[in-house]
């Protein structure tokens, strides 16, 4: 079974998807980490972030892989390097290119193959796995999302962080529509445990159907 979890930054996707995968014994695929890894490599190799064709070549020649919790690209373990504000601020510029998205989509489908997986991103329920058996779209109010992000990026001021989130939402908007058959869950006032349990119930109901 494929469980697709989409939603904006700070909606709780990663924590929930990881927890759910552990509970269900499913594989966990973080597609945002893939765009982040490609962005890291493009900065490293000084590829222009507007240069769609060069970025697509870079993505094609350097497939991203996951080893447990670690993220690899081009022979480097980039797990920690992709989580800073430096990547947050430019990743949308890389992710917006259709040629890049096509390569990522194919790689994401490959990673989804072979049975049970929880896959998180922006377009999993709509584009990558439209046939996913369970689709969830997580939302949360912007103050709560900024507060959560602040806990992960203590080095950034609260105001700058709120601005970063707002700009990223605007830039990611084209890629981020809930699937018509997705269940929207507002996580603002819920604990991670609450959200995981709620999705687990959807998975159980689907398994029974
Ligand atoms: O979920 P995240 O913040 O790690 O994602 C990083 C960026 O990658 C995000 O700003 C938008 C992009 N992204 C995307 O366009 N499609 C996905 N399926 C996942 C992420």
């Amino acid at each position: 079974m494929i469980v697709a979890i989409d939603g904006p930054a700070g909606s709780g996707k990663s924590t929930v998807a990881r927890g759910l995968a552990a509970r269900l014994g499913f594989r966990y695929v973080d597609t945002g980490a893939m765009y982040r890894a490609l962005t890291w490599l493009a900065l490293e190799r000084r590829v222009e972030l507007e240069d769609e064709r060069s970025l697509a070549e870079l993505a094609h020649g350097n497939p991203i892989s996951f080893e447990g919790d670690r993220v690899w690209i081009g022979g480097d373990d980039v797990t920690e390097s992709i989580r800073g504000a430096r990547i947050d601020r430019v990743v949308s510029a890389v992710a917006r290119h259709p040629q890049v998205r096509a390569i990522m989509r194919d790689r994401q489908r490959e990673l989804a193959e072979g049975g049970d997986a929880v896959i998180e991103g922006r377009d999993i329920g709509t584009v990558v796995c439209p046939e996913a058996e369970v689709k969830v779209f997580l939302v949360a109010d912007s103050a709560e999302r900024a507060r959560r992000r602040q806990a992960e990026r203590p080095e950034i001021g609260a105001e700058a962080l709120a601005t970063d989130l707002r700009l990223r939402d605007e830039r990611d908007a084209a890629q981020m529509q809930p699937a018509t058959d997705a269940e929207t869950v507002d996580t603002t006032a819920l604990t991670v445990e609450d959200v995981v349990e709620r999705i687990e119930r959807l998975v159980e109901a689907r398994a029974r159907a």
Side-chain angles (χ1 to χ4, degrees), residues 145-203:
R145 291 169 51 212
R147 199 189 59 73
R148 290 176 188 166
R149 205 20 76 98
Q150 181 80 77
E152 297 164 3
R153 308 271 192 274
E155 72 283 7
I156 312 288
E159 221 166 285
L161 209 131
T163 306
D164 285 357
L165 264 186
R166 185 175 51 74
L167 290 175
R168 199 138 70 93
D169 279 356
E170 284 171 18
R171 292 173 187 145
D172 290 340
Q175 277 79 246
M176 195 172 56
Q177 304 302 326
T180 49
D181 52 348
E183 169 108 359
T184 298
V185 178
D186 185 338
T187 68
T188 308
L190 300 177
T191 64
V192 170
E193 201 50 27
D194 289 337
V195 182
V196 169
E197 271 174 21
R198 204 145 144 185
I199 304 174
E200 221 181 342
R201 284 202 295 271
L202 295 175
V203 170

Side-chain angles (χ1 to χ4, degrees), residues 9-75:
S11 58
K13 278 188 320 288
S14 298
T15 321
V16 164
R18 194 174 275 124
L20 180 71
R23 274 269 275 274
L24 297 170
F26 283 20
R27 278 170 310 118
Y28 164 61
V29 181
D30 176 359
T31 63
M34 299 172 71
Y35 288 101
R36 288 172 177 274
L38 180 63
T39 303
W40 178 88
L41 192 63
L43 295 175
E44 218 28 45
R45 307 253 175 108
R46 303 198 192 294
V47 174
E48 219 8 91
L49 302 189
E50 297 305 309
D51 182 350
E52 177 168 12
R53 193 198 293 199
S54 299
L55 287 170
E57 279 168 14
L58 194 67
H60 187 70
N62 297 277
I64 290 132
S65 55
F66 294 94
E67 280 176 23
D69 273 354
R70 314 302 296 176
V71 188
W72 288 79
I73 189 166

